[in-house]
Amino acid sequence: MALSLFGGRRSNVYDPFSLDIWDPLEGFPFNTSVAGIPSSARETVAIANTRIDWRETPEAHVFKADLPGIKKEEVKVEVEDGRVLHISGERNLEKEEKNDTWHRVERSSGKFLRRFRLPENAKVDQVKASMENGVLTVIVPKEEEKKKTEAKTIEISG
């Protein structure tokens, strides 16, 4: 077993998930570890941790959100104030059984909310959303760009 720089807490050097969070203030009279953070603050992390990619194609704006373990019925996609895409939902805590012993709680729970101001070329009345394998895809079609015509020189007669 190899020791890590963090006091030998790693059970396997090649397993990135086996390392506990290193707390340099561990052992002091005040509690600063993750376990000491109130559940309301941990739930706020769910809002910040909702990862969303936004890419633009010639035809549309495409948003993809990783929402593992969430059903499509638990997600809401809306357009607010004419041009603000609003993606929200809630990941519920797993029910605790009185005989369970928890060793780690790393998956976030709670409400999540992300907002994106859409550009002027977005067709907000044609937004479509789908969910597959825990990935929400929102497609916002774009208005066709008006093609710029080349300037034509006009001869002046007379």
Side-chain angles (χ1 to χ4, degrees), residues 97-149:
E97 300 293 328
K98 62 182 177 180
N99 295 331
D100 289 349
T101 301
W102 289 81
H103 296 282
R104 243 182 235 254
V105 178
E106 295 183 346
R107 298 182 319 154
S108 59
S109 63
K111 295 180 180 182
F112 61 90
L113 165 65
R114 296 292 305 272
R115 290 186 177 133
F116 301 91
R117 179 158 306 279
L118 297 171
E120 292 293 321
N121 67 351
K123 292 183 180 179
V124 295
D125 57 333
Q126 296 178 19
V127 176
K128 292 188 175 157
S130 63
M131 192 146 168
E132 187 176 339
N133 297 326
V135 178
L136 172 70
T137 302
V138 179
I139 298 175
V140 183
K142 292 171 30 179
E143 301 280 344
E144 278 189 40
E145 289 186 31
K146 294 177 182 160
K147 294 183 179 181
K148 296 179 183 178
T149 56

Side-chain angles (χ1 to χ4, degrees), residues 34-59:
V34 172
I37 297 173
S39 63
S40 60
R42 280 190 300 240
E43 289 174 359
T44 305
V45 172
I47 295 169
N49 283 339
T50 304
R51 307 285 188 207
I52 298 181
D53 294 339
W54 175 3
R55 71 182 164 96
E56 183 176 353
T57 68
E59 300 82 29

Side-chain angles (χ1 to χ4, degrees), residues 13-25:
V13 171
Y14 301 106
D15 181 4
F17 302 107
S18 68
L19 181 62
D20 288 330
I21 295 174
W22 177 60
D23 187 352
L25 301 175

